[in-house]
Amino acid sequence: MAAYTNASLIVRDDYDFNDGLFSGYDAQARSYDKTSWHYALDEQGYAQHDTTLQHPRCVWNLLKQHVSRYTPEVVSSLCGTSQSDFLHVCRLLAETSASDRTANFLYALGWTQHSVGGYRIFVPWR
């Protein structure tokens, strides 16, 4: 996994997520300065990484920390799906974590149109 994703890359120390907002949020402008989201760089200007995935600020550990809040109860209350259906999907996805299986998520234009309408696709987000 670490060889084919950004999971081992280390994120800067000033990146944070609190109260539902990522670091760099400007409430008045209602936008983000994403500078703190960048990777920590070494002396040569390359992104630092930890192939053991033990560093607390590597992408893998930050992701695990971020999604840990989404318990079956929280997912059910946010999405309206039953906890049993959510756990069923989790089990199915977990079964694809094998050398002879894989899962794939595709993003399609139809999802965007369904959630925000076709109009929003052509108007830049502010």
Side-chain angles (χ1 to χ4, degrees), residues 87-112:
L87 291 171
H88 177 70
V89 170
C90 291
R91 279 190 287 280
L92 290 174
L93 288 173
E95 289 175 4
T96 68
S97 296
S99 60
D100 64 335
R101 298 175 185 217
T102 188
N104 192 5
F105 291 92
L106 301 175
Y107 177 82
L109 183 60
W111 287 9
T112 304

PDB file of all heavy atoms in Angstrom, residues 87-112:
ATOM      1  N   LEU A  87     -22.671  -1.848   8.227  1.00  0.00           N
ATOM      2  CA  LEU A  87     -21.708  -2.880   8.612  1.00  0.00           C
ATOM      3  C   LEU A  87     -21.605  -3.971   7.551  1.00  0.00           C
ATOM      4  O   LEU A  87     -20.513  -4.514   7.322  1.00  0.00           O
ATOM      5  CB  LEU A  87     -22.084  -3.468   9.974  1.00  0.00           C
ATOM      6  CG  LEU A  87     -21.903  -2.495  11.141  1.00  0.00           C
ATOM      7  CD1 LEU A  87     -22.504  -3.074  12.419  1.00  0.00           C
ATOM      8  CD2 LEU A  87     -20.448  -2.141  11.330  1.00  0.00           C
ATOM      9  N   HIS A  88     -22.698  -4.265   6.875  1.00  0.00           N
ATOM     10  CA  HIS A  88     -22.678  -5.249   5.781  1.00  0.00           C
ATOM     11  C   HIS A  88     -21.756  -4.754   4.655  1.00  0.00           C
ATOM     12  O   HIS A  88     -20.913  -5.511   4.148  1.00  0.00           O
ATOM     13  CB  HIS A  88     -24.094  -5.491   5.259  1.00  0.00           C
ATOM     14  CG  HIS A  88     -24.158  -6.428   4.098  1.00  0.00           C
ATOM     15  ND1 HIS A  88     -23.908  -7.780   4.212  1.00  0.00           N
ATOM     16  CD2 HIS A  88     -24.420  -6.200   2.785  1.00  0.00           C
ATOM     17  CE1 HIS A  88     -24.016  -8.349   3.030  1.00  0.00           C
ATOM     18  NE2 HIS A  88     -24.333  -7.402   2.145  1.00  0.00           N
ATOM     19  N   VAL A  89     -21.887  -3.496   4.281  1.00  0.00           N
ATOM     20  CA  VAL A  89     -21.026  -2.923   3.240  1.00  0.00           C
ATOM     21  C   VAL A  89     -19.573  -2.919   3.706  1.00  0.00           C
ATOM     22  O   VAL A  89     -18.666  -3.246   2.932  1.00  0.00           O
ATOM     23  CB  VAL A  89     -21.497  -1.504   2.855  1.00  0.00           C
ATOM     24  CG1 VAL A  89     -20.487  -0.814   1.962  1.00  0.00           C
ATOM     25  CG2 VAL A  89     -22.857  -1.566   2.178  1.00  0.00           C
ATOM     26  N   CYS A  90     -19.338  -2.591   4.963  1.00  0.00           N
ATOM     27  CA  CYS A  90     -17.971  -2.620   5.502  1.00  0.00           C
ATOM     28  C   CYS A  90     -17.354  -4.010   5.379  1.00  0.00           C
ATOM     29  O   CYS A  90     -16.198  -4.152   4.981  1.00  0.00           O
ATOM     30  CB  CYS A  90     -17.956  -2.182   6.962  1.00  0.00           C
ATOM     31  SG  CYS A  90     -18.320  -0.436   7.208  1.00  0.00           S
ATOM     32  N   ARG A  91     -18.134  -5.025   5.723  1.00  0.00           N
ATOM     33  CA  ARG A  91     -17.632  -6.406   5.618  1.00  0.00           C
ATOM     34  C   ARG A  91     -17.317  -6.768   4.158  1.00  0.00           C
ATOM     35  O   ARG A  91     -16.300  -7.389   3.869  1.00  0.00           O
ATOM     36  CB  ARG A  91     -18.634  -7.387   6.215  1.00  0.00           C
ATOM     37  CG  ARG A  91     -18.562  -7.492   7.719  1.00  0.00           C
ATOM     38  CD  ARG A  91     -19.398  -8.640   8.277  1.00  0.00           C
ATOM     39  NE  ARG A  91     -20.831  -8.363   8.206  1.00  0.00           N
ATOM     40  CZ  ARG A  91     -21.502  -7.608   9.076  1.00  0.00           C
ATOM     41  NH1 ARG A  91     -20.868  -7.062  10.076  1.00  0.00           N
ATOM     42  NH2 ARG A  91     -22.790  -7.416   8.946  1.00  0.00           N
ATOM     43  N   LEU A  92     -18.205  -6.382   3.241  1.00  0.00           N
ATOM     44  CA  LEU A  92     -17.964  -6.670   1.822  1.00  0.00           C
ATOM     45  C   LEU A  92     -16.688  -6.002   1.335  1.00  0.00           C
ATOM     46  O   LEU A  92     -15.885  -6.609   0.619  1.00  0.00           O
ATOM     47  CB  LEU A  92     -19.155  -6.222   0.975  1.00  0.00           C
ATOM     48  CG  LEU A  92     -20.439  -7.023   1.118  1.00  0.00           C
ATOM     49  CD1 LEU A  92     -21.571  -6.365   0.324  1.00  0.00           C
ATOM     50  CD2 LEU A  92     -20.238  -8.459   0.672  1.00  0.00           C
ATOM     51  N   LEU A  93     -16.479  -4.743   1.717  1.00  0.00           N
ATOM     52  CA  LEU A  93     -15.267  -4.042   1.306  1.00  0.00           C
ATOM     53  C   LEU A  93     -14.028  -4.676   1.929  1.00  0.00           C
ATOM     54  O   LEU A  93     -12.990  -4.808   1.275  1.00  0.00           O
ATOM     55  CB  LEU A  93     -15.352  -2.563   1.677  1.00  0.00           C
ATOM     56  CG  LEU A  93     -16.322  -1.748   0.840  1.00  0.00           C
ATOM     57  CD1 LEU A  93     -16.463  -0.345   1.403  1.00  0.00           C
ATOM     58  CD2 LEU A  93     -15.862  -1.705  -0.610  1.00  0.00           C
ATOM     59  N   ALA A  94     -14.132  -5.066   3.193  1.00  0.00           N
ATOM     60  CA  ALA A  94     -12.988  -5.691   3.861  1.00  0.00           C
ATOM     61  C   ALA A  94     -12.590  -6.989   3.166  1.00  0.00           C
ATOM     62  O   ALA A  94     -11.410  -7.342   3.122  1.00  0.00           O
ATOM     63  CB  ALA A  94     -13.315  -5.941   5.330  1.00  0.00           C
ATOM     64  N   GLU A  95     -13.555  -7.702   2.610  1.00  0.00           N
ATOM     65  CA  GLU A  95     -13.257  -8.952   1.910  1.00  0.00           C
ATOM     66  C   GLU A  95     -12.439  -8.722   0.639  1.00  0.00           C
ATOM     67  O   GLU A  95     -11.836  -9.654   0.123  1.00  0.00           O
ATOM     68  CB  GLU A  95     -14.550  -9.683   1.560  1.00  0.00           C
ATOM     69  CG  GLU A  95     -15.257 -10.271   2.762  1.00  0.00           C
ATOM     70  CD  GLU A  95     -16.604 -10.880   2.420  1.00  0.00           C
ATOM     71  OE1 GLU A  95     -16.976 -10.913   1.226  1.00  0.00           O
ATOM     72  OE2 GLU A  95     -17.302 -11.314   3.349  1.00  0.00           O
ATOM     73  N   THR A  96     -12.409  -7.499   0.146  1.00  0.00           N
ATOM     74  CA  THR A  96     -11.629  -7.217  -1.065  1.00  0.00           C
ATOM     75  C   THR A  96     -10.180  -6.879  -0.732  1.00  0.00           C
ATOM     76  O   THR A  96      -9.398  -6.617  -1.634  1.00  0.00           O
ATOM     77  CB  THR A  96     -12.247  -6.062  -1.876  1.00  0.00           C
ATOM     78  OG1 THR A  96     -12.108  -4.838  -1.144  1.00  0.00           O
ATOM     79  CG2 THR A  96     -13.694  -6.322  -2.209  1.00  0.00           C
ATOM     80  N   SER A  97      -9.817  -6.877   0.523  1.00  0.00           N
ATOM     81  CA  SER A  97      -8.443  -6.583   0.935  1.00  0.00           C
ATOM     82  C   SER A  97      -7.607  -7.858   0.896  1.00  0.00           C
ATOM     83  O   SER A  97      -7.128  -8.343   1.921  1.00  0.00           O
ATOM     84  CB  SER A  97      -8.429  -5.966   2.329  1.00  0.00           C
ATOM     85  OG  SER A  97      -9.079  -4.731   2.318  1.00  0.00           O
ATOM     86  N   ALA A  98      -7.461  -8.403  -0.280  1.00  0.00           N
ATOM     87  CA  ALA A  98      -6.689  -9.625  -0.477  1.00  0.00           C
ATOM     88  C   ALA A  98      -5.942  -9.521  -1.794  1.00  0.00           C
ATOM     89  O   ALA A  98      -6.294  -8.725  -2.667  1.00  0.00           O
ATOM     90  CB  ALA A  98      -7.632 -10.835  -0.497  1.00  0.00           C
ATOM     91  N   SER A  99      -4.911 -10.325  -1.942  1.00  0.00           N
ATOM     92  CA  SER A  99      -4.093 -10.236  -3.157  1.00  0.00           C
ATOM     93  C   SER A  99      -4.864 -10.642  -4.410  1.00  0.00           C
ATOM     94  O   SER A  99      -4.501 -10.238  -5.507  1.00  0.00           O
ATOM     95  CB  SER A  99      -2.847 -11.112  -3.006  1.00  0.00           C
ATOM     96  OG  SER A  99      -3.226 -12.464  -2.810  1.00  0.00           O
ATOM     97  N   ASP A 100      -5.926 -11.419  -4.262  1.00  0.00           N
ATOM     98  CA  ASP A 100      -6.683 -11.867  -5.431  1.00  0.00           C
ATOM     99  C   ASP A 100      -8.007 -11.123  -5.607  1.00  0.00           C
ATOM    100  O   ASP A 100      -8.834 -11.503  -6.426  1.00  0.00           O
ATOM    101  CB  ASP A 100      -6.944 -13.375  -5.345  1.00  0.00           C
ATOM    102  CG  ASP A 100      -7.816 -13.748  -4.148  1.00  0.00           C
ATOM    103  OD1 ASP A 100      -7.829 -12.981  -3.161  1.00  0.00           O
ATOM    104  OD2 ASP A 100      -8.466 -14.805  -4.207  1.00  0.00           O
ATOM    105  N   ARG A 101      -8.222 -10.052  -4.826  1.00  0.00           N
ATOM    106  CA  ARG A 101      -9.462  -9.280  -4.917  1.00  0.00           C
ATOM    107  C   ARG A 101      -9.148  -7.804  -4.762  1.00  0.00           C
ATOM    108  O   ARG A 101      -8.159  -7.421  -4.150  1.00  0.00           O
ATOM    109  CB  ARG A 101     -10.443  -9.672  -3.811  1.00  0.00           C
ATOM    110  CG  ARG A 101     -10.884 -11.086  -3.876  1.00  0.00           C
ATOM    111  CD  ARG A 101     -11.742 -11.391  -2.673  1.00  0.00           C
ATOM    112  NE  ARG A 101     -12.078 -12.796  -2.669  1.00  0.00           N
ATOM    113  CZ  ARG A 101     -13.238 -13.258  -2.294  1.00  0.00           C
ATOM    114  NH1 ARG A 101     -14.177 -12.437  -1.889  1.00  0.00           N
ATOM    115  NH2 ARG A 101     -13.472 -14.536  -2.314  1.00  0.00           N
ATOM    116  N   THR A 102     -10.042  -7.008  -5.284  1.00  0.00           N
ATOM    117  CA  THR A 102      -9.894  -5.573  -5.090  1.00  0.00           C
ATOM    118  C   THR A 102     -11.248  -4.901  -5.245  1.00  0.00           C
ATOM    119  O   THR A 102     -12.137  -5.422  -5.907  1.00  0.00           O
ATOM    120  CB  THR A 102      -8.873  -4.968  -6.076  1.00  0.00           C
ATOM    121  OG1 THR A 102      -8.640  -3.616  -5.720  1.00  0.00           O
ATOM    122  CG2 THR A 102      -9.372  -5.033  -7.503  1.00  0.00           C
ATOM    123  N   ALA A 103     -11.389  -3.762  -4.612  1.00  0.00           N
ATOM    124  CA  ALA A 103     -12.597  -2.947  -4.769  1.00  0.00           C
ATOM    125  C   ALA A 103     -12.216  -1.707  -5.560  1.00  0.00           C
ATOM    126  O   ALA A 103     -11.056  -1.292  -5.572  1.00  0.00           O
ATOM    127  CB  ALA A 103     -13.158  -2.549  -3.414  1.00  0.00           C
ATOM    128  N   ASN A 104     -13.179  -1.128  -6.198  1.00  0.00           N
ATOM    129  CA  ASN A 104     -12.927   0.071  -6.979  1.00  0.00           C
ATOM    130  C   ASN A 104     -14.116   1.006  -6.809  1.00  0.00           C
ATOM    131  O   ASN A 104     -15.265   0.593  -6.918  1.00  0.00           O
ATOM    132  CB  ASN A 104     -12.748  -0.303  -8.456  1.00  0.00           C
ATOM    133  CG  ASN A 104     -12.193   0.835  -9.264  1.00  0.00           C
ATOM    134  OD1 ASN A 104     -11.846   1.882  -8.738  1.00  0.00           O
ATOM    135  ND2 ASN A 104     -12.110   0.624 -10.557  1.00  0.00           N
ATOM    136  N   PHE A 105     -13.840   2.258  -6.522  1.00  0.00           N
ATOM    137  CA  PHE A 105     -14.883   3.268  -6.428  1.00  0.00           C
ATOM    138  C   PHE A 105     -14.732   4.197  -7.618  1.00  0.00           C
ATOM    139  O   PHE A 105     -13.643   4.699  -7.877  1.00  0.00           O
ATOM    140  CB  PHE A 105     -14.753   4.088  -5.138  1.00  0.00           C
ATOM    141  CG  PHE A 105     -15.057   3.297  -3.907  1.00  0.00           C
ATOM    142  CD1 PHE A 105     -14.048   2.643  -3.228  1.00  0.00           C
ATOM    143  CD2 PHE A 105     -16.354   3.205  -3.448  1.00  0.00           C
ATOM    144  CE1 PHE A 105     -14.323   1.912  -2.091  1.00  0.00           C
ATOM    145  CE2 PHE A 105     -16.644   2.472  -2.309  1.00  0.00           C
ATOM    146  CZ  PHE A 105     -15.634   1.825  -1.633  1.00  0.00           C
ATOM    147  N   LEU A 106     -15.796   4.407  -8.319  1.00  0.00           N
ATOM    148  CA  LEU A 106     -15.774   5.292  -9.472  1.00  0.00           C
ATOM    149  C   LEU A 106     -16.639   6.512  -9.196  1.00  0.00           C
ATOM    150  O   LEU A 106     -17.727   6.389  -8.640  1.00  0.00           O
ATOM    151  CB  LEU A 106     -16.303   4.566 -10.712  1.00  0.00           C
ATOM    152  CG  LEU A 106     -15.542   3.307 -11.107  1.00  0.00           C
ATOM    153  CD1 LEU A 106     -16.238   2.619 -12.265  1.00  0.00           C
ATOM    154  CD2 LEU A 106     -14.110   3.645 -11.467  1.00  0.00           C
ATOM    155  N   TYR A 107     -16.140   7.645  -9.577  1.00  0.00           N
ATOM    156  CA  TYR A 107     -16.901   8.872  -9.451  1.00  0.00           C
ATOM    157  C   TYR A 107     -17.476   9.194 -10.821  1.00  0.00           C
ATOM    158  O   TYR A 107     -16.753   9.217 -11.807  1.00  0.00           O
ATOM    159  CB  TYR A 107     -16.005  10.010  -8.966  1.00  0.00           C
ATOM    160  CG  TYR A 107     -16.725  11.325  -8.884  1.00  0.00           C
ATOM    161  CD1 TYR A 107     -17.513  11.629  -7.783  1.00  0.00           C
ATOM    162  CD2 TYR A 107     -16.644  12.250  -9.917  1.00  0.00           C
ATOM    163  CE1 TYR A 107     -18.190  12.816  -7.694  1.00  0.00           C
ATOM    164  CE2 TYR A 107     -17.321  13.445  -9.844  1.00  0.00           C
ATOM    165  CZ  TYR A 107     -18.094  13.727  -8.730  1.00  0.00           C
ATOM    166  OH  TYR A 107     -18.774  14.917  -8.652  1.00  0.00           O
ATOM    167  N   ALA A 108     -18.754   9.414 -10.876  1.00  0.00           N
ATOM    168  CA  ALA A 108     -19.393   9.683 -12.167  1.00  0.00           C
ATOM    169  C   ALA A 108     -20.130  11.012 -12.119  1.00  0.00           C
ATOM    170  O   ALA A 108     -20.580  11.451 -11.062  1.00  0.00           O
ATOM    171  CB  ALA A 108     -20.363   8.561 -12.513  1.00  0.00           C
ATOM    172  N   LEU A 109     -20.258  11.617 -13.260  1.00  0.00           N
ATOM    173  CA  LEU A 109     -20.936  12.901 -13.366  1.00  0.00           C
ATOM    174  C   LEU A 109     -22.351  12.830 -12.809  1.00  0.00           C
ATOM    175  O   LEU A 109     -22.834  13.768 -12.204  1.00  0.00           O
ATOM    176  CB  LEU A 109     -20.965  13.349 -14.829  1.00  0.00           C
ATOM    177  CG  LEU A 109     -21.574  14.711 -15.121  1.00  0.00           C
ATOM    178  CD1 LEU A 109     -20.806  15.804 -14.390  1.00  0.00           C
ATOM    179  CD2 LEU A 109     -21.541  14.981 -16.604  1.00  0.00           C
ATOM    180  N   GLY A 110     -22.988  11.726 -12.953  1.00  0.00           N
ATOM    181  CA  GLY A 110     -24.357  11.588 -12.469  1.00  0.00           C
ATOM    182  C   GLY A 110     -24.483  11.847 -10.982  1.00  0.00           C
ATOM    183  O   GLY A 110     -25.478  12.394 -10.517  1.00  0.00           O
ATOM    184  N   TRP A 111     -23.457  11.463 -10.201  1.00  0.00           N
ATOM    185  CA  TRP A 111     -23.502  11.716  -8.761  1.00  0.00           C
ATOM    186  C   TRP A 111     -23.528  13.213  -8.488  1.00  0.00           C
ATOM    187  O   TRP A 111     -24.277  13.696  -7.670  1.00  0.00           O
ATOM    188  CB  TRP A 111     -22.296  11.117  -8.066  1.00  0.00           C
ATOM    189  CG  TRP A 111     -22.304   9.625  -7.950  1.00  0.00           C
ATOM    190  CD1 TRP A 111     -23.171   8.748  -8.530  1.00  0.00           C
ATOM    191  CD2 TRP A 111     -21.394   8.838  -7.203  1.00  0.00           C
ATOM    192  NE1 TRP A 111     -22.850   7.471  -8.196  1.00  0.00           N
ATOM    193  CE2 TRP A 111     -21.756   7.487  -7.375  1.00  0.00           C
ATOM    194  CE3 TRP A 111     -20.306   9.135  -6.412  1.00  0.00           C
ATOM    195  CZ2 TRP A 111     -21.064   6.451  -6.774  1.00  0.00           C
ATOM    196  CZ3 TRP A 111     -19.624   8.100  -5.820  1.00  0.00           C
ATOM    197  CH2 TRP A 111     -20.003   6.777  -6.000  1.00  0.00           C
ATOM    198  N   THR A 112     -22.703  13.949  -9.213  1.00  0.00           N
ATOM    199  CA  THR A 112     -22.653  15.396  -9.027  1.00  0.00           C
ATOM    200  C   THR A 112     -23.993  16.018  -9.409  1.00  0.00           C
ATOM    201  O   THR A 112     -24.524  16.857  -8.699  1.00  0.00           O
ATOM    202  CB  THR A 112     -21.524  16.016  -9.877  1.00  0.00           C
ATOM    203  OG1 THR A 112     -20.302  15.389  -9.541  1.00  0.00           O
ATOM    204  CG2 THR A 112     -21.429  17.508  -9.645  1.00  0.00           C
TER     205      THR A 112
END
